[in-house]
Structure formats: C-alpha cells, structure tokens
Amino acid sequence: MRLEIPTNAERFGANTFYQVQKIYELEGGYGIDTEFDSPFHVIQQIPYDRLHEIEKDLAIIIPVKNERLRLLEGVLCGIPHACLPIVLSNSQNEPTDRFRMECSMVDTFCRHAKKKYLIAHQRSPEVARLFSDGGYLHLLDEDGLVRHGKAEGMLAGIALANLVGKKYVGFIDADNYFPGAVFEYVRIFSAGLSQSKSPYSMVRIQWHSKPKIVDAELFFAKWGRVTRITNQYLNLFLSQYTGYETEILRTGNAGEHALSMPLALALDYSTGFSVETHQFVSLMEKFGGVLPSPFPEIMKTGVEIFQIESRNPHLHEATKGQDHIREMIEYSLSVLWHSRICPALVQKDIARELRRLKIVRKNESPLQLRRYPELSTLNFSAAAAALDWSRHGNYTPA
Ligand code: GDD
C-alpha cells in the first residue's frame, strides 16, 4: 500500500490521535521501493511482504446477527488468506436455525478455499463457560450466558483470538455487499498497524462514501447522521483539554477497526452499538493523564491511533430504520456524557443536542450504559480448558 504519512496529530496524555491518512495505491509493490529512500516524502510505501507479516497474526472478527448468508460469504471471500476469520454469531436458533445454516456455509466455503476459521454462537453455553471459568462474570446475564449485543459478540471474539495466540484483532461487519471493500479494510488494518512504533495501537477506517439513490441518481454521501454528531462532540471533548479547537477525530463510530492485542485487552468496553465511541472514552480516561492510569507501562510507551480513509464506497444492508439511527446517536452521546472526565461544557451541549433530537426530556439524564472492564482481568489459562476447538471450526491453536 502507498499512503500518506500522518504529519498532524493531537496528543492527549499518552494518546496520539493521527489525522486521517489518504491512500494513494492499494497495492504498493513487493519489497522496498528505493524511490522512498529520501526522508523528504509525504507518502510512504508499505510493501506487500510487511502487510503479510501482520496478517499472519491478525484475527478478523465478524459479528453477525441474522444477515443474509450470501453477504457473509462475500465477507469471507474478501479476507486475505493469511488472516484467521472468527465468526461470532447471535443469529436465531428457532424457528429456523440460522446459526446452523451459517456454520454449514462457512465450513463448506472454508473447506473449498482451504481456509482456517473459527465460528461460535455468542449465546452458547461453551462460550459462556469461557468467561465463567476465566472469572470474568461481567459479560454474563441472569441465565449465565453472554449478553446480547454487538459489543458483547466483539468481546467474545477478542477472547477467542487471544486464546489462539493472535497478536492483532480487526472487526468487519457481516452485511457488506462488496468483498473488494472488505479486502481493502483488512489491508488498511495491516498497513495501519505496521506503522506503529508502540505495541499499543489502533486503526480506524473512515469510509470514503456511502452510496445512496437520490432522485433516481447515485449519490455518494460522505457523512452519516450518527457519525457527524458523534465526531462533533468527540472533538469538542478533546479540545476542552487541549485548549485548541480541532476536527481531527473523524471515526467516532467506525465499525471497521483493528487493535493490537495488548491494547484490546487493556481498554474498557461499553454495550451494544456504543462500543466504538466508547473506545475513545476509554483511551482518554485510561491514558489521557487526567485520571491515574491503571497501566503505567502504557503511559510510558504511548498509544497510537491511526485513521485511514478507504477508497471503496461502503455498501451495506440499510434496512435498520430511524429508531436504529436514534439509538446509535443516543448510545454514542451517552457514553461521552457519562465519562468520568467529560467537561461540564460538553455535558451541557450534549444534553441540549439530545433534547433537540427529542431523545431525552428536560432534566432527564442520558442513559447510563453497561460497561465492561478490561479483558486482561480474564484468566485465560483457566478459560482455555472450556473450549473444544474441533466444535468451532478447523483451526486448532498450537
Ligand atoms: N454477534 C453479534 N451480536 N453481532 C451483531 C449483534 C449482536 O447482538 N447485533 C448486530 N450484529 C452484527 C450485524 O449482523 C452486523 O454484521 C454488525 O453487527 C453491525 O450491525 P448493524 O445492525 O448492521 O449495524 P449498522 O450498520 O447500523 O452500524 C454499523 O456501522 C456503524 C458505523 O456507521 C455498526 O458496525 C456500528 O457499530 C457502527 O458504529
């Protein structure tokens, strides 16, 4: 890949938030291009072999809930061979057993492609045992099963990826229409992660555009309603601490993102669709230097957050409706409002926005959402005994 070197960044404690990087070539060539020997470049080349090194250690978690099988198959097709796909499903078991259909499709596909994979149902007793045996009970409901929700599926996926020894995790939604876009997202993950000088890094994708039909014409919208609002308040939050107005954060709701495993295990998480915005809250709370950090070694090493703009348009299932959009806005703004370090002015503006959108009433506080502490508190050796890997795909950890 050939992409811009991020020259601008905002620093907040140990966090470095880089500006969005533009991609020049999706495929940057094999081996080092000596044209880039001079230090005076604004573009960098990340050769294919370097991306491959990262991808060997990268698990791609695909959260899925009742999506069309053809879309899920397309997503599998877009994931480079060296990565390990981990499908985490919360699809229905009855009246039609959609999870069984997913297992069958994924297994056939991977058998033909000779591709390694893992698949698990988020609500299975086996996945629940992983967390009960590992002493991480926060994720379990009154039935002793992993709670419903996208974040909850992602956490189960991170735990599985760590158990099989992966060094990086990336997330890609199962309802993507373009395998080529999925392929690009994974390449962006590996390119982004390869730039980091710290073992604690994250890459977030800013979609190039989301095509829509407007008056019988294709229109390539850049910003969704949720993203626009989340980013506005995230930047306001950051600027209250730095003292400088900023627009650097563009990926507040990035469903497609990747983390190095040490960072994935050190962050707190928040339920359902608040998860992506909350990652910023967790970064600012834990490594912003405002509160004492539970990870002094990370404070010394630093955390790098890259934002990269994809080139493919993002086309996904868009039948979720206005209530879903409102819920996503509510969730994103609520986690900012409830942050222990949210400045009073930001709280006031968020409350006003939520009232304007008729999401909260006067004098009502935003929703307090369920939070999950860092996964590093899970006892992974105790959890490892819970799983019979042969029931979850064709990948057996060494
Ligand atoms: N395992 C699991 N468990 N997966 C789920 C669950 C769940 O409870 N709920 C939804 N999913 C899966 C869906 O099947 C899909 O693959 C993915 O999670 C995203 O869910 P969507 O319902 O398609 O979300 P969206 O398209 O509105 O929003 C996406 O993009 C946003 C950015 O615009 C999500 O990725 C958001 O998290 C993201 O902020």
Side-chain angles (χ1 to χ4, degrees):
M1 187 172 282
R2 295 187 181 210
L3 79 160
E4 212 175 2
I5 295 170
T7 40
N8 282 332
E10 291 282 354
R11 289 177 178 77
F12 183 22
N15 296 301
T16 306
F17 298 109
Y18 291 104
Q19 72 182 86
V20 170
Q21 294 169 257
K22 176 176 166 177
I23 297 175
Y24 281 79
E25 279 189 329
L26 290 173
E27 214 294 287
Y30 189 85
I32 304 284
D33 183 344
T34 50
E35 292 271 353
F36 287 93
D37 280 352
S38 143
F40 303 107
H41 277 292
V42 286
I43 310 299
Q44 59 184 319
Q45 179 222 11
I46 304 177
Y48 165 71
D49 21 340
R50 178 77 187 107
L51 301 181
H52 182 71
E53 283 308 306
I54 303 266
E55 287 167 11
K56 283 193 298 187
D57 292 322
L58 173 62
I60 298 295
I61 295 162
I62 309 166
V64 55
K65 187 173 178 186
N66 302 328
E67 302 293 353
R68 297 184 209 203
L69 289 182
R70 273 169 204 257
L71 294 185
L72 177 58
E73 190 190 284
V75 170
L76 287 176
C77 163
I79 295 175
H81 187 78
C83 305
L84 176 71
I86 303 182
V87 179
L88 240 299
S89 175
N90 192 14
S91 297
Q92 67 188 44
N93 294 114
E94 49 190 27
T96 314
D97 191 345
R98 290 201 58 87
F99 179 58
R100 195 182 55 77
M101 290 160 70
E102 288 163 3
C103 288
S104 155
M105 183 280 287
V106 172
D107 187 63
T108 307
F109 180 92
C110 291
R111 211 148 13 93
H112 290 170
K114 308 268 179 269
K115 195 176 177 75
K116 297 289 180 203
Y117 77 96
L118 288 174
I119 187 164
H121 198 282
Q122 168 175 347
R123 303 273 299 161
S124 71
E126 242 190 324
V127 171
R129 253 195 67 201
L130 200 151
F131 291 95
S132 53
D133 289 7
Y136 188 97
L137 304 179
H138 321 278
L139 208 57
L140 306 180
D141 66 11
E142 37 303 329
D143 297 323
L145 299 177
V146 169
R147 295 176 196 279
H148 294 281
K150 183 191 172 209
E152 289 70 3
M154 287 167 57
L155 280 164
I158 298 172
L160 289 176
N162 190 47
L163 279 170
V164 297
K166 292 292 164 184
K167 296 187 186 147
Y168 307 99
V169 270
F171 300 92
I172 301 214
D173 289 350
D175 59 347
N176 196 310
Y177 275 93
F178 293 147
V182 171
F183 180 70
E184 182 190 5
Y185 296 158
V186 179
R187 280 285 139 91
I188 291 178
F189 293 163
S190 42
L193 291 163
S194 79
Q195 299 175 104
S196 184
K197 292 174 278 308
S198 159
Y200 307 98
S201 59
M202 181 188 285
V203 182
R204 303 174 71 91
I205 293 183
Q206 182 192 348
W207 295 333
H208 173 271
S209 59
K210 230 172 149 176
K212 292 181 177 155
I213 309 280
V214 179
D215 292 338
E217 301 272 351
L218 255 187
F219 178 71
F220 292 87
K222 179 98 191 137
W223 303 106
R225 254 177 75 196
V226 183
T227 313
R228 201 187 297 264
I229 292 180
T230 307
N231 291 346
Q232 179 190 338
Y233 290 100
L234 255 179
N235 282 310
L236 185 65
F237 194 125
L238 183 59
S239 61
Q240 289 303 300
Y241 280 101
T242 59
Y244 287 86
E245 203 169 6
T246 180
E247 287 185 335
I248 204 141
L249 302 180
R250 305 284 181 98
T251 55
N253 294 98
E256 273 70 28
H257 63 276
L259 298 107
S260 64
M261 189 57 82
L263 182 60
L265 297 179
L267 289 182
D268 286 345
Y269 293 85
S270 174
T271 188
F273 289 108
S274 62
V275 58
E276 285 93 10
T277 310
H278 185 266
Q279 287 167 338
F280 278 109
V281 172
S282 188
L283 287 167
M284 295 194 281
E285 285 182 354
K286 288 192 159 178
F287 315 120
V290 182
L291 302 172
S293 176
F295 297 101
E297 77 283 5
I298 304 186
M299 292 302 289
K300 274 200 220 111
T301 320
V303 183
E304 294 188 88
I305 299 98
F306 300 95
Q307 306 178 96
I308 301 179
E309 185 181 38
S310 59
R311 286 286 181 157
N312 280 279
H314 185 90
L315 190 64
H316 68 145
E317 279 285 73
T319 51
K320 317 259 159 80
Q322 284 307 309
D323 287 350
H324 181 61
I325 304 280
R326 283 169 64 82
E327 184 186 84
M328 299 233 311
I329 295 175
E330 178 174 21
Y331 275 31
S332 292
L333 295 189
S334 294
V335 292
L336 289 173
W337 194 91
H338 280 288
S339 165
R340 286 176 293 159
I341 60 165
C342 184
L345 179 135
V346 180
Q347 279 195 326
K348 214 167 112 209
D349 284 8
I350 288 177
R352 193 182 303 126
E353 180 76 59
L354 289 170
R355 281 200 301 275
R356 188 181 69 80
L357 295 168
K358 302 200 173 13
I359 290 176
V360 300
R361 280 195 289 264
K362 207 166 179 237
N363 301 326
E364 210 176 53
S365 296
L367 269 183
Q368 171 82 68
L369 295 166
R370 190 183 300 280
R371 279 174 74 151
Y372 302 109
E374 57 266 14
L375 269 178
S376 57
T377 56
L378 193 150
N379 180 340
F380 281 94
S381 13
L387 276 184
D388 170 3
W389 293 100
S390 65
R391 287 163 46 90
H392 294 283
N394 60 6
Y395 186 79
T396 322

